[in-house]
C-alpha cells in the first residue's frame, strides 16, 4: 500500500509512505478475533522504519448490540513507540450505528506535544450506512 498526501509545499516531514500489511480474522459463533501486522521502511512524519501489531475482538450479543476491543503496539525507529487500546459498545438501529468507547495510550505528555491529546477519553460516534 502507498499513502500519499499533497504536502509537497509544506515545510517539515512528509506524510507519504509505503507499507506492507497482512491480517487474519476468525469468527466463531458470536465471537470474532482478528490480528494485523504492518511494516513500513519509512513511516509517516519521518518516523523511520515502523512495525505495528494489532489484535481485535468483537462479541455480538444480538443483531443490534456488539462489544469490541482493540490492543495495539507500534514501534518506530525515529519516534515514540506506543501502546494503545480501546473498548466499547455499538448499538445498531436501522441505518444508524451508535458507538461509545474508552480509548487510551501509554504516551506521556512530553511524547504528545505537551498536551492532553493522548490521555484516555470516552469517544462517541454515530455512523449512517449508505446501503
Amino acid at each position: 500500500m502507498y499513502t500519499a498526501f499533497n504536502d509537497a509545499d509544506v515545510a517539515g516531514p512528509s506524510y507519504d509512505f509505503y507499507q506492507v500489511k497482512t491480517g487474519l480474522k476468525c469468527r466463531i459463533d458470536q465471537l470474532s478475533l482478528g490480528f494485523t501486522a504492518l511494516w513500513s521502511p519509512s513511516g509517516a512524519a519521518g518516523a523511520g522504519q515502523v512495525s505495528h501489531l494489532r489484535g481485535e475482538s468483537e462479541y455480538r450479543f444480538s443483531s443490534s448490540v456488539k462489544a469490541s476491543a482493540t490492543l495495539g503496539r507500534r514501534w518506530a525507529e525515529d519516534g515514540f513507540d506506543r501502546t494503545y487500546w480501546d473498548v466499547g459498545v455499538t448499538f445498531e438501529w436501522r441505518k444508524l450505528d451508535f458507538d461509545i468507547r474508552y480509548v487510551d495510550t501509554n504516551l506521556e505528555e512530553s511524547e504528545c506535544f505537551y498536551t492532553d491529546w493522548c490521555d484516555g477519553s470516552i469517544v462517541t460516534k454515530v455512523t449512517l450506512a449508505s446501503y
Side-chain angles (χ1 to χ4, degrees):
M1 295 187 318
Y2 181 72
T3 302
F5 291 88
N6 188 14
D7 60 0
D9 297 331
V10 177
S14 173
Y15 289 93
D16 300 351
F17 59 96
Y18 292 94
Q19 61 186 357
V20 177
K21 184 177 180 180
T22 187
L24 298 169
K25 195 166 193 178
C26 175
R27 184 173 303 275
I28 305 167
D29 296 323
Q30 293 94 337
L31 178 66
S32 176
L33 300 172
F35 175 79
T36 304
L38 181 145
W39 175 81
S40 177
S42 182
Q49 184 171 297
V50 173
S51 300
H52 194 135
L53 297 175
R54 181 172 69 196
E56 300 172 335
S57 64
E58 177 183 293
Y59 186 83
R60 186 165 283 281
F61 292 99
S62 69
S63 62
S64 60
V65 180
K66 64 183 175 183
S68 60
T70 302
L71 173 63
R73 178 77 177 161
R74 176 187 180 258
W75 296 268
E77 179 180 23
D78 299 319
F80 299 111
D81 299 342
R82 71 174 178 254
T83 301
Y84 60 92
W85 56 92
D86 70 69
V87 61
V89 178
T90 304
F91 303 93
E92 300 166 352
W93 179 71
R94 298 188 183 189
K95 290 187 174 188
L96 292 174
D97 286 356
F98 301 91
D99 185 81
I100 184 167
R101 67 187 48 252
Y102 180 80
V103 298
D104 203 357
T105 179
N106 71 326
L107 291 178
E108 299 292 328
E109 187 176 292
S110 62
E111 299 168 318
C112 204
F113 309 105
Y114 293 95
T115 68
D116 61 357
W117 297 345
C118 299
D119 290 353
S121 299
I122 294 176
V123 177
T124 59
K125 176 174 69 172
V126 178
T127 305
L128 175 63
S130 61
Y131 55 91

